[in-house]
Amino acid sequence: MEEPPKLINEEIEREAAQRLDPRDRVDVYLKIHEELLSHSGDEYTKGDLVQAGGKYWSHDNVTQCN
């Protein structure tokens, strides 16, 4: 079975986080942030500034969710 695209996983995690205790929600958001920043750094290292910026932008949008 093929793994769903990352954005779908992120959306599922965000939706699930809304139903969690606030302390647990922080853990979910930290995990999302770490993954997006890591992927952004990987893309930057490859020289793909468009993808790096997109990942970083996604990180910023997560920050503004709550």
Side-chain angles (χ1 to χ4, degrees):
M1 178 181 242
E2 188 175 316
E3 185 175 322
K6 282 285 186 186
L7 284 177
I8 292 174
N9 286 339
E10 292 164 11
E11 289 298 321
I12 291 169
E13 288 173 345
R14 284 185 204 143
E15 183 63 31
Q18 295 298 316
R19 296 184 173 100
L20 293 174
D21 174 85
R23 290 180 186 156
D24 294 331
R25 189 180 310 163
V26 169
D27 291 335
V28 171
Y29 283 125
L30 285 174
K31 179 180 179 264
I32 293 170
H33 287 289
E34 289 168 358
E35 288 179 16
L36 287 170
L37 286 175
S38 173
H39 291 203
S40 178
D42 293 344
E43 297 297 340
Y44 179 80
T45 301
K46 293 177 194 173
D48 192 343
L49 300 180
V50 172
Q51 286 296 319
K55 302 276 192 271
Y56 187 78
W57 179 257
S58 294
H59 169 267
D60 188 45
N61 286 335
V62 171
T63 303
Q64 295 176 15
C65 285
N66 279 340

